[in-house]
Amino acid sequence: MLISPHPTNKFHTQKKKTKKMAANGSNAGSKSANSGGAKQSGPSAEQVVATFQRMRQEQRSMSSKAAELEMESNEHSLVIDTLKDVDPSRKCFRLVGGVLVERTVKEVLPALQTNKEQIAKIIESLNTKMQEKGRELTEYRERYNIRLVGEGEGDAQGQPAPSPKDGEGGNHKSGAGVLVS
């Protein structure tokens, strides 16, 4: 994790101001420090990076869980397709809570189909949550002007840089970027 040391970085300049005022030790300095602190009522750069990393990790864990459930659903489909062609009175074995239980195909097949449907609902729910988390991440990146390492390489190749947009929008804080690896 790297924080952009650019002199226009609001976190960098705010720290300089605070250090100068603390060095002066005057009452006027502390009053302006309070008003300057009110401008930066947001989190520190380290907190921004930590929150961003946490949000990315949550999205990754949801993605891995969805992939795991997708594999389980495929296994259910394979077993269901196999058991459809088998005599319903034939013995089959099912693992329930770590215990292998002997049943018949006609008992197991409906339970497998129900399980597969429930897994599909959970996967759909996880995908929806992942999309919401992706939107949150995008909004968070835009709010704090977070750039990932290697993301700015297109700027040198003639693609438009994001900084001109910051000046036009008015809501963005120009030069307040945080670089995340």
Side-chain angles (χ1 to χ4, degrees), residues 94-101:
R94 181 173 182 215
L95 193 63
V96 179
V99 177
L100 199 59
V101 181

Side-chain angles (χ1 to χ4, degrees), residues 19 21 24 26 33 35 37 40 45 47-48 58 65 75 96 99 102 111-113 126 129 149 152 162 167 173 175:
K19 285 181 183 177
M21 288 178 200
N24 290 341
S26 66
S35 65
Q40 188 198 352
Q47 290 171 331
V48 168
E58 288 173 4
K65 186 64 177 177
E75 288 177 14
V96 179
V99 177
E102 181 180 335
L112 285 174
Q113 290 169 336
L126 271 174
K129 288 179 183 178
V149 172
K173 297 170 182 126

Side-chain angles (χ1 to χ4, degrees), residues 102-122:
E102 181 180 335
R103 300 275 186 235
T104 62
V105 171
K106 74 176 183 183
E107 294 172 335
V108 171
L109 196 56
L112 285 174
Q113 290 169 336
T114 303
N115 283 354
K116 184 182 173 200
E117 290 169 5
Q118 290 174 346
I119 290 171
K121 288 178 185 175
I122 292 170

Side-chain angles (χ1 to χ4, degrees), residues 29-145:
S30 64
K31 286 181 186 175
S32 63
N34 289 340
S35 65
K39 285 183 183 176
Q40 188 198 352
S41 61
S44 70
E46 291 82 16
Q47 290 171 331
V48 168
V49 171
T51 302
F52 181 71
Q53 294 290 10
R54 180 186 50 79
M55 291 170 72
R56 283 176 66 189
Q57 183 57 40
E58 288 173 4
Q59 189 182 34
R60 284 187 197 121
S61 66
M62 281 190 263
S63 176
S64 66
K65 186 64 177 177
E68 178 185 328
L69 288 173
E70 191 67 44
M71 287 175 30
E72 195 169 321
S73 176
N74 290 340
E75 288 177 14
H76 274 68
S77 296
L78 200 74
V79 173
I80 289 169
D81 290 342
T82 303
L83 291 180
K84 280 182 179 176
D85 300 330
V86 177
D87 178 31
S89 62
R90 186 172 173 181
K91 280 196 289 186
C92 69
F93 295 89
R94 181 173 182 215
L95 193 63
V96 179
V99 177
L100 199 59
V101 181
E102 181 180 335
R103 300 275 186 235
T104 62
V105 171
K106 74 176 183 183
E107 294 172 335
V108 171
L109 196 56
L112 285 174
Q113 290 169 336
T114 303
N115 283 354
K116 184 182 173 200
E117 290 169 5
Q118 290 174 346
I119 290 171
K121 288 178 185 175
I122 292 170
I123 291 171
E124 186 177 320
S125 166
L126 271 174
N127 286 335
T128 304
K129 288 179 183 178
M130 277 192 311
Q131 289 174 352
E132 289 173 13
K133 185 60 74 174
R135 283 190 290 273
E136 283 179 34
L137 271 168
T138 302
E139 290 171 8
Y140 196 79
R141 283 181 67 185
E142 289 172 358
R143 184 180 328 142
Y144 293 104
N145 194 21

